[in-house]
Amino acid sequence: MEKNVYIHYLIGELESYVIDNRNKIEKLINNQKKISVQDSVFIFDKFSNSLSKTKDLIQLSQEINDRDTLRTISIISSETVAWIMFTLPAIEPSMPVFLENLIVYDRHIIDVLGELLLEFDEFIETPEKLKAVNPEVFNMINEISMTFGHLSRMIEKGAVEN
């Protein structure tokens, strides 16, 4: 029971984090013609943290037997991945990094995010599958999260040195 409460806390925390940062990033996109370097750092950092929180939920899903909780994890994970996937093309023209340079697993990051989105949509229908493919999904999310984190630090360091 205690583990279940913790899982639901993490689900709520991820949901709040995504909603809050989605609104902040939408305001940045809508209020500026060109996104500043500091805003790019902020955006990539929020993408990275959102995926890191998602990764933590996926990792803990191994210990969950409740179908509804697994479905909820799949839904919030799907929403997180979709938010990032559909936001990237909107911000790419004004970012200091070209989207075509974002390669993960020898594939474009949008393709990997799209594959994850399809996986999570399948998990929503059959939540118990989340536990069966957990390591693969966990590794994909972790790799994308680390890529965004690296980009955030790289852009920030470049801005400081210039």
Side-chain angles (χ1 to χ4, degrees), residues 2-136:
E2 197 173 294
K3 183 67 106 180
N4 210 17
V5 171
Y6 180 64
I7 296 290
H8 284 282
Y9 167 77
L10 291 178
I11 291 168
E13 181 182 24
L14 175 58
E15 185 174 28
S16 295
Y17 189 85
V18 168
I19 289 170
D20 183 46
N21 288 298
R22 182 178 56 211
N23 292 337
K24 289 176 184 175
I25 291 171
E26 283 177 7
K27 286 180 186 174
L28 287 173
I29 293 169
N30 295 332
N31 293 337
Q32 299 178 22
K33 289 186 180 186
K34 184 165 175 68
I35 295 173
S36 70
V37 172
Q38 293 81 11
D39 291 340
S40 297
V41 170
F42 173 82
I43 291 168
F44 282 136
D45 186 58
K46 297 309 174 191
F47 286 172
S48 178
N49 289 337
S50 297
L51 290 170
S52 181
K53 290 174 184 294
T54 302
K55 175 193 68 162
D56 292 343
L57 276 174
I58 301 301
Q59 189 173 26
L60 289 171
S61 70
Q62 288 292 313
E63 303 171 28
I64 299 170
N65 294 318
D66 180 49
R67 194 171 199 272
D68 290 334
T69 302
L70 289 171
R71 177 177 279 123
T72 302
I73 290 171
S74 299
I75 290 169
I76 189 61
S77 298
S78 175
E79 289 173 1
T80 302
V81 169
W83 165 57
I84 294 168
M85 185 176 135
F86 293 116
T87 302
L88 267 176
I91 61 176
E92 188 265 337
S94 60
M95 299 204 59
V97 174
F98 294 109
L99 204 51
E100 61 264 10
N101 293 332
L102 296 176
I103 305 296
V104 177
Y105 293 119
D106 295 326
R107 296 187 345 225
H108 192 278
I109 201 162
I110 296 286
D111 294 336
V112 178
L113 287 166
E115 182 181 328
L116 278 171
L117 188 58
L118 291 173
E119 291 269 356
F120 283 119
D121 285 346
E122 184 178 333
F123 299 151
I124 292 169
E125 297 300 318
T126 51
E128 49 283 340
K129 284 187 175 183
L130 179 61
K131 293 173 74 164
V133 295
N134 186 302
E136 177 185 323

